[in-house]
């Protein structure tokens, strides 16, 4: 498999992880890995779908946008936690951790220059 | 030849399972570190209660002294440090990015936890030894190279001359 295609597939996997994490809105107790509230559910679904679309279309800008989106959501969740509660996102420090990982991963993949970008840079 | 590569494939997949499992351990357990006071109150609970076992049931006297004099009186700062370190451990071990670096941080954090709670009531000391050993295994096997972003991105980092890429090659 083409190496760039493997990068896109990794982005799709990260998007799927985000969408699967939405299931934790229904899970409570011992096996609740992350705490997802109603607004957090929307964040997980929208950004997860964006990451999947970015990987599917091999679109680097979308990949970075999804990654930045997750990092922004993680930062907002952290600020809300500092205020003493879950806030409107409804998450906890585990949610922050998950979104931090998804954001960092998508940005790390998105920062890899693609052949067309390298070609454009060499022509300029 | 074929069976050897199959073996490598299954070993890599199992290492990925171990790495992701350890990452989820941190990811889930950072959830009960609750700012802004991290359980400091009357009665204490959560992270503050766990940290205070280092003083009430000391494991290593110099560590107990350090906790009593510096950590517990400034617990908001140290609580945030614990939250950020453990959240990052969960995040980066799950995706397998800079895995060897985070395995070392995991070893250090496990030692700190063990020195705090090893003598607390109802603790099973082997659980902390197992935590320590599994991070050693993640470091020794460079587990992020199997099903993780380290394995995927290393070829690109090896070609790059940037300091960040060179650092990532070393810690992946």
């Amino acid at each position: 498999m083409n190496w760039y295609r493997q990068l896109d597939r990794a982005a799709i996997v990260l998007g799927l992880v985000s969408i699967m994490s939405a299931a934790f809105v229904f899970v409570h107790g011992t096996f609740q890995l992350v705490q997802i509230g109603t607004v957090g559910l929307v964040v997980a679904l929208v950004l997860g779908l964006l990451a999947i679309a970015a990987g599917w279309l091999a679109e680097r800008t979308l990949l970075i946008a999804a990654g930045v989106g997750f990092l922004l959501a993680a930062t907002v969740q952290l600020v809300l936690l500092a205020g003493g509660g879950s806030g409107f996102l409804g998450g906890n420090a585990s949610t922050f951790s998950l979104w931090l990982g998804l954001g960092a991963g998508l940005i790390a993949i998105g920062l890899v220059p693609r052949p067309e970008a390298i070609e454009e840079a060499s022509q300029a | 030849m074929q069976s050897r590569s199959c073996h490598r494939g299954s070993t890599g997949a199992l290492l990925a399972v171990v790495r992701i499992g350890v990452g989820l351990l941190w990811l889930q357990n950072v959830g009960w570190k609750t700012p802004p006071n991290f359980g400091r109150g009357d009665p204490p609970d959560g992270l503050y209660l766990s940290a205070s076992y280092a003083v009430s049931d000391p494991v290593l006297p110099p560590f107990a002294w350090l906790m009593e004099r510096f950590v517990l009186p400034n617990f908001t700062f140290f609580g945030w440090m614990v939250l950020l370190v453990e959240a990052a451990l969960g995040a980066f071990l799950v995706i397998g990015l800079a895995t060897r670096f985070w395995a070392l941080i995991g070893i250090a954090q496990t030692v700190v936890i063990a020195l705090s709670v090893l003598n607390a009531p109802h603790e099973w000391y082997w659980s902390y030894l197992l935590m320590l050993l599994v991070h050693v295994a993640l470091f020794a096997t460079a587990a992020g190279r199997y099903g993780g972003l380290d394995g995927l991105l290393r070829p690109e980092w090896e070609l790059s001359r940037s300091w960040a890429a060179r650092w990532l090659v070393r810690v992946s």
Side-chain angles (χ1 to χ4, degrees):
Chain A
M1 190 193 289
N2 179 317
W3 181 64
Y4 294 104
R5 209 50 222 150
Q6 286 186 38
L7 292 178
D8 296 332
R9 200 175 62 167
I12 291 172
V13 169
L14 292 178
L16 285 172
V17 167
S18 179
I19 288 172
M20 286 192 298
S21 75
F24 283 102
V25 79
F26 305 110
V27 181
H28 302 282
T30 308
F31 298 107
Q32 186 188 38
L33 293 179
V34 288
Q35 185 177 301
I36 302 280
T38 312
V39 179
L41 175 82
V42 175
V43 169
L45 293 178
V46 169
L47 293 179
L49 285 172
L50 185 64
I52 290 171
W56 191 272
L57 300 170
E59 191 52 60
R60 209 175 147 217
T61 317
L62 276 183
L63 270 176
I64 294 176
V68 169
F70 275 118
L71 289 188
L72 276 175
T75 307
V76 171
Q77 184 62 74
L78 195 65
V79 170
L80 292 170
L81 288 172
S86 297
F88 69 92
L89 282 175
N92 61 3
S94 302
T95 322
F96 164 71
S97 176
L98 176 69
W99 288 345
L100 174 68
L102 294 175
L106 286 166
I107 288 174
I109 295 168
L111 286 177
V112 176
R114 301 301 173 111
E116 58 272 26
I118 297 167
E119 212 169 282
E120 278 170 24
S122 64
Q123 279 172 359
Chain B
M1 192 71 181
Q2 197 179 2
S3 67
R4 193 181 291 176
S5 71
C6 279
H7 176 72
R8 260 207 308 268
S10 60
T11 304
L14 289 173
L15 280 174
V17 168
V18 172
R19 171 180 53 76
I20 292 167
V22 174
L24 290 176
L25 178 149
W26 291 112
L27 189 144
Q28 185 183 32
N29 281 282
V30 76
W32 58 267
K33 278 79 180 184
T34 49
N37 60 5
F38 297 96
R40 187 177 195 172
D42 190 20
D45 64 0
L47 184 61
Y48 187 86
L49 179 65
S50 292
S52 66
Y53 285 133
V55 179
S56 61
D57 301 274
V59 177
L60 187 71
F63 183 78
W65 180 85
L66 196 75
M67 291 293 285
E68 189 172 19
R69 295 294 175 95
F70 295 104
V71 177
L72 293 179
N74 303 293
F75 203 67
T76 302
F77 171 77
F78 285 101
W80 275 107
M81 289 299 105
V82 168
L83 187 152
L84 293 174
V85 166
E86 294 191 3
L89 273 164
F92 289 96
L93 288 178
V94 165
I95 63 170
L97 186 62
T99 303
R100 291 185 117 174
F101 171 76
W102 289 106
L104 286 178
I105 299 293
I107 289 169
Q109 184 66 1
T110 302
V111 169
V112 170
I113 295 169
L115 288 176
S116 300
V117 300
L118 215 58
N119 281 342
H122 314 300
E123 289 290 345
W124 184 53
Y125 77 90
W126 272 101
S127 55
Y128 301 99
L129 195 54
L130 284 170
M131 257 176 86
L132 190 77
L133 291 172
V134 79
H135 285 93
V136 171
L138 293 182
F139 179 83
T141 57
R145 297 184 200 178
Y146 307 93
L149 290 184
D150 286 344
L152 207 52
L153 297 174
R154 264 179 77 85
E156 174 68 21
W157 296 335
E158 281 168 342
L159 291 175
S160 174
R161 289 180 187 170
S162 76
W163 66 266
R166 284 201 306 259
W167 181 77
L168 283 163
V169 168
R170 277 194 216 109
V171 300
S172 60

